[in-house]
């Protein structure tokens, strides 16, 4: 397998620095090329919510792959309207645009907002500092962290930044040109920082008062990760639109942007498109994902297992000075350390637990929603030893 790593080094652009070679997965467990087993608290970066290779998802992909993989959006396919109906029913009751990634789903929201605001000359979109919205030129600009933007200037015009969880900062950023606000309900790449109830309630009121669209980037928080279908639903507020991707297809690439009925016909034929958006195969994977989460009560499990993991981490905090705090929502949990998180991530991997270091000193736990109590306890015991 060194050969494989050499090939990678020689032929794959070095945008990532992968360590292990994974060859198989089942539920919350993955295996490497040496046959070693790992408890996966990374889920392919919060993607494999139904667990690795859930039989229902595998069966749906297999069946559809033998029937029709792709036909473009010049034709109807049997699954896309059904998936759109399901996504609409998750929250806003309007229409859906299909894409292939989180960045593309956010791009759809940006274009929709600009189109909506164009008759009144409004185009500015407010995003939050410390946010993450993707790596394309527009979504990288929307991402309120200069480390992702350095070297890629000039940035896309029309983005303005406000302080997350500071309503006054958003209010001050609104101008006669503002068309929308885009926000995460829990900042993911920014270090697992949940929005406060006060901020979310205030943001909704402010956007309504100013006739500004309120969009949530649910790419990481969506599809049950926080214990609700959508992260913002934990706060009892309504959005004007949201984006999805990571958890939607159990690992099969698919993204979606969904809006309210009022915004559902802003895009007209020719305004926006994606060759691969909503292919039969992608929709089969997503439909099976949504059905599985429903049928197996995985959101209730996310709440219960999230509470168990949070409690366990808080107990470890009493025993280890390097722990600063525990925060999160559902099964999206951050362990804030006062030491660099990368070496802890590496030690955990050596001991058979996969996590993700975010920022300088936050260890992120985003296990599959199917994770069990014994698996949580086992990971906590290993973490105790590693710390
Ligand atoms: C991962 C992520 C994105 C980008 O998704 P891609 O599929 O990598 O383009 C956007 N927003 C949030 C909140 C994310 O976590």
């Amino acid at each position: 397998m060194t050969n494989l790593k050499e090939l990678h080094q020689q032929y794959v652009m070095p945008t990532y620095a992968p360590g292990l070679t994974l060859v198989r997965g089942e539920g919350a467990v993955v295996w490497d090329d040496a046959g070693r087993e790992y408890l996966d608290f990374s889920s392919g970066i919060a993607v494999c919510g139904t667990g690795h290779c859930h039989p229902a998802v595998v069966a749906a992909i297999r069946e559809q792959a033998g029937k029709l993989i792709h036909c473009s959006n010049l034709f109807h396919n049997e699954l896309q309207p059904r998936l759109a109906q399901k996504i609409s029913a998750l929250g806003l009751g309007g229409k859906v645009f299909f894409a292939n990634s989180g960045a593309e789903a956010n791009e759809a929201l940006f274009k929709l907002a600009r189109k909506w605001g164009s008759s009144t000359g409004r185009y500015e979109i407010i995003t939050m500092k410390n946010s993450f919205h993707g790596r394309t030129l527009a979504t990288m600009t929307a991402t309120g962290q200069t480390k992702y933007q350095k070297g890629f200037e000039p940035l896309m015009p029309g983005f303005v930044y406000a302080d997350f969880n500071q309503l006054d900062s958003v209010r001050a950023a609104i101008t006669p040109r503002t068309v929308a606000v885009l926000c995460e309900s829990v900042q993911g790449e920014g270090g697992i920082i949940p929005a406060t109830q006060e901020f979310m309630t205030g943001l909704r009121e402010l956007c309504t008062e100013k006739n500004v669209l309120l969009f949530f980037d649910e790419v990481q928080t969506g599809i049950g990760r926080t214990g609700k279908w959508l992260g913002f639903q934990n706060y009892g507020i309504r959005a004007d639109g949201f984006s999805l991707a990571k958890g939607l297809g159990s690992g099969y690439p698919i993204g979606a942007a969904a809006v309210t009925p009022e915004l559902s016909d802003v895009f007209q034929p020719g305004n926006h498109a994606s060759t691969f958006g909503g292919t039969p195969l992608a929709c089969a994977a997503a439909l099976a994902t949504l059905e599985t989460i429903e049928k197996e009560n995985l959101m209730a499990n996310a709440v219960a297992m999230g509470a168990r993991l949070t409690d366990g981490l808080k107990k470890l905090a009493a025993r280890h000075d390097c722990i600063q705090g525990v925060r999160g929502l559902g099964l999206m949990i951050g362990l804030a350390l006062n030491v660099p998180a990368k070496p802890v991530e590496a030690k955990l991997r050596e001991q058979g637990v996969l996590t993700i270091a975010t920022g300088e000193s936050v260890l992120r736990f985003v296990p599959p929603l199917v994770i069990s109590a014994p698996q949580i306890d086992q990971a906590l015991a290993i973490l105790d030893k590693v710390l």
Side-chain angles (χ1 to χ4, degrees), residues 191-192 313 316-317 319-327 333-348 355-365 383-384 386-387:
I192 313 287
L313 291 173
L316 290 188
R319 297 159 35 78
H320 299 282
D321 289 342
C322 60
I323 296 180
Q324 241 168 12
V326 183
R327 57 193 185 222
I333 297 169
L335 184 68
L337 303 169
N338 56 26
V339 295
K342 270 273 167 211
V344 182
E345 179 203 84
K347 277 259 157 50
L348 280 168
T355 56
I356 313 169
T358 18
E360 277 297 296
S361 56
V362 179
L363 204 58
R364 177 166 39 159
F365 296 83
L383 179 62
D384 189 20
V386 162
L387 289 175

Side-chain angles (χ1 to χ4, degrees), residues 188-236:
E189 305 303 304
I192 313 287
I193 305 171
T196 62
Q197 180 66 53
E198 192 189 358
F199 179 67
M200 292 291 254
T201 309
L203 195 57
R204 179 64 274 179
E205 284 169 5
L206 178 64
C207 288
T208 303
E209 177 198 322
K210 301 283 187 185
N211 191 29
V212 162
L213 302 176
L214 178 54
F215 291 157
F216 286 99
D217 180 338
E218 293 284 346
V219 169
Q220 187 161 165
T221 45
I223 311 299
R225 173 62 46 195
T226 67
K228 303 263 189 204
W229 282 118
L230 304 161
F232 70 82
Q233 291 172 333
N234 289 287
Y235 298 87

Side-chain angles (χ1 to χ4, degrees), residues 11 22 42 49 82 105 121 125 127 162 164 203 224 280-281 339 344:
Y11 292 109
L22 298 180
S42 70
R82 285 183 48 217
I125 294 168
T127 63
F164 185 56
L203 195 57
L281 193 53
V339 295
V344 182

Side-chain angles (χ1 to χ4, degrees), residues 45 100-104 106 132-135 184 186 188-189 217-221 243 245-246 364:
I45 318 193
N100 310 284
S101 67
E104 264 187 286
N106 285 332
F132 185 85
H133 300 298
R135 300 295 203 130
E184 294 159 275
V186 180
E189 305 303 304
D217 180 338
E218 293 284 346
V219 169
Q220 187 161 165
T221 45
S243 51
K246 289 192 166 89
R364 177 166 39 159

